[in-house]
Amino acid sequence: DTEVTQTPKHLVMGMTNKKSLKCEQHMGHRAMYWYKQKAKKPPELMFVYSYEKLSINESVPSRFSPECPNSSLLNLHLHALQPEDSALYLCASSQGSGLPKGHEQYFGPGTRLTVT
Amino acid sequence: AQSVTQPDIHITVSEGASLELRCNYSYGATPYLFWYVQSPGQGLQLLLKYFSGDTLVQGIKGFEAEFKRSQSSFNLRKPSVHWSDAAEYFCAVGDSSASKIIFGSGTRLSIRP
């Protein structure tokens, strides 16, 4: 199984809402990632979890809160978002966080988020 | 610092024609290089990777890429494109200091019937 799944596929939320994005992998990977992708742009790294611990936070605003409940699951909790946060949110996983295996990342299909 | 340049924003080729997408990287040592493809509204799929060894790398869907250290390039090729190859293609290099990928800006491929 080489699949990373993400739910929901689409999400529309108001600026005062609280919602969560979910990501799951069953490849035994020990590193998981959140990316944000705006239209016609490459993905931008947000967070990296390695062995269920947050290892990289790319100065992401606190209205985005990641959580890694176990080695297979990764959540992104959203609160008080702004319209400019509308984007495709991609989850990825890799075998480990060391080099080079940490670079070989497998992506999910993404959640299309619209903030109104 | 590592960086990746994809000089072509948009390329259109005829179905059945050959394809070459350009990628140049900036890196001090031997880089870890990747090509990803993204269909509209989808996630990224790893096409192929180069870590070391043979400089001609075979990937999925009939793609290949050649690592040329002298030119700091890792161009993606396919001998005959299909309409289903229309997508966005990203070249990427592994950051030497962390488990991070540095993406190029992408090349959008359109296929002419």
Side-chain angles (χ1 to χ4, degrees):
Chain A
D1 183 2
T2 58
E3 193 177 57
V4 177
T5 58
Q6 290 187 244
T7 56
K9 288 195 68 173
H10 301 274
L11 178 63
V12 179
M13 61 185 291
M15 289 189 283
T16 58
N17 291 160
K18 285 185 180 181
K19 297 286 185 183
S20 296
L21 309 185
K22 296 186 185 302
C23 173
E24 190 166 5
Q25 58 88 12
H26 293 288
M27 295 179 277
H29 287 176
R30 302 313 301 268
M32 296 185 76
Y33 310 77
W34 280 115
Y35 288 86
K36 174 183 178 179
Q37 187 180 27
K38 302 286 271 186
K40 301 187 188 301
K41 296 289 187 184
E44 300 172 25
L45 183 65
M46 300 174 73
F47 303 103
V48 180
Y49 271 84
S50 177
Y51 291 85
E52 300 159 51
K53 287 185 170 28
L54 183 64
S55 61
I56 296 177
N57 176 342
E58 294 285 278
S59 302
V60 179
S62 59
R63 58 185 183 268
F64 295 92
S65 175
E67 178 196 20
C68 189
N70 61 56
S71 60
S72 301
L73 290 173
L74 186 65
N75 298 323
L76 186 63
H77 302 298
L78 314 172
H79 174 56
L81 294 192
Q82 304 296 310
E84 58 265 29
D85 295 322
S86 298
L88 181 68
Y89 287 83
L90 294 164
C91 174
S93 69
S94 66
Q95 195 169 335
S97 58
L99 307 176
K101 285 297 184 182
H103 295 151
E104 188 174 344
Q105 298 180 16
Y106 294 85
F107 285 78
T111 294
R112 175 73 61 188
L113 174 67
T114 303
V115 181
T116 61
Chain B
Q2 297 93 337
S3 66
V4 178
T5 302
Q6 293 181 250
D8 303 305
I9 296 173
H10 183 204
I11 285 181
T12 299
V13 300
S14 297
E15 190 167 16
S18 63
L19 170 71
E20 183 167 28
L21 300 183
R22 296 184 291 164
C23 172
N24 293 97
Y25 66 89
S26 171
Y27 192 86
T30 299
Y32 303 127
L33 294 161
F34 306 84
W35 274 100
Y36 284 88
V37 61
Q38 185 176 32
S39 297
Q42 300 295 313
L44 278 71
Q45 183 179 23
L46 180 63
L47 282 176
L48 47 78
K49 61 184 184 284
Y50 173 77
F51 287 170
S52 64
D54 193 344
T55 56
L56 186 61
V57 181
Q58 300 298 320
I60 62 172
K61 304 185 178 189
F63 286 92
E64 65 178 28
E66 187 170 13
F67 170 62
K68 292 185 177 180
R69 184 188 300 276
S70 61
Q71 298 176 21
S72 297
S73 69
F74 189 57
N75 293 349
L76 182 72
R77 300 194 294 247
K78 187 170 185 177
S80 175
V81 298
H82 186 262
W83 63 266
S84 59
D85 293 324
E88 189 84 20
Y89 290 80
F90 292 99
C91 182
V93 65
D95 187 309
S96 61
S97 61
S99 295
K100 295 167 62 172
I101 295 175
I102 299 165
F103 286 95
S105 54
T107 297
R108 182 161 61 95
L109 175 65
S110 297
I111 306 297
R112 192 184 301 120

